[in-house]
Amino acid sequence: MTMDRISYRLSQLSDRERILLALLAAVIVPLAVLFLVAMPLLGARAEARADVAEAETLRDWVAARVTDLPPSGLSDAGLPDTAPPMGLSALEQSLVAAGLRDSVTELANRDGGGIELGFGPVPFTDLIAWLANVAPGWGYDVAAFRLERDTPGLARAAFSLEPTE
């Protein structure tokens, strides 16, 4: 539509119709933009801030639990003790000995000799104490891990382990 057509159509409208059209343009369109664009963005921003606050709380919680751990096993040279990778059954036996086997949700071999290990709700201090005791000599490096706070004192964890080179 050209300006002439718009002008002609507006001149054909009554005063009341022009006022309603102006009201539509001045009030309803900005409200539609507000509710369809701005409000969802504000909601997403608030959700992102809540996620950041939760992540910071988890970080602080993990940092507070680190002080509860015994020092890690180091060799006399100050380097971590390494050994050939323990098998899946040896890893499972260490979990049984630590009382964590019932919390394991995944324990499987990966291609290339790695292991996938997952835990459901497990006491965080027990998990970290087991990890600190077994990790120095188990022959694996943690390639990836995910740690989520479940309820106070409990965590969910997933580890991808690769043989130490």
Side-chain angles (χ1 to χ4, degrees):
M1 259 194 213
T2 63
M3 285 303 281
D4 292 336
R5 282 184 160 173
I6 293 172
S7 177
Y8 175 74
R9 297 247 179 187
L10 286 175
S11 69
Q12 298 296 318
L13 298 176
S14 68
D15 289 340
R16 181 177 177 201
E17 290 171 332
R18 283 189 215 130
I19 290 171
L20 287 174
L21 191 57
L23 181 66
L24 175 71
V27 175
I28 295 176
V29 171
L31 283 176
V33 169
L34 176 73
F35 285 110
L36 295 175
V37 176
M39 296 300 280
L41 289 176
L42 289 174
R45 182 178 182 188
E47 189 174 312
R49 284 186 175 178
D51 289 346
V52 166
E54 183 178 340
E56 288 173 347
T57 301
L58 179 60
R59 181 197 63 210
D60 295 343
W61 179 68
V62 169
R65 297 305 176 271
V66 167
T67 59
D68 298 341
L69 298 177
S72 64
L74 296 177
S75 67
D76 293 336
L79 300 172
D81 297 329
T82 57
M86 67 171 51
L88 202 58
S89 61
L91 189 60
E92 186 171 13
Q93 288 303 316
S94 71
L95 290 165
V96 169
L100 297 175
R101 182 59 182 108
D102 292 338
S103 300
V104 173
T105 58
E106 180 181 15
L107 181 58
N109 283 321
R110 280 190 358 207
D111 292 336
I115 292 179
E116 291 293 326
L117 179 60
F119 292 91
V122 60
F124 179 76
T125 53
D126 294 349
L127 174 66
I128 298 302
W130 168 79
L131 194 58
N133 287 334
V134 76
W138 69 355
Y140 291 99
D141 288 328
V142 178
F145 72 94
R146 180 172 178 86
L147 189 64
E148 296 176 0
R149 181 176 171 189
D150 192 56
T151 57
L154 297 179
R156 293 181 183 274
F159 298 94
S160 292
L161 307 175
E162 292 181 352
T164 303
E165 295 184 18

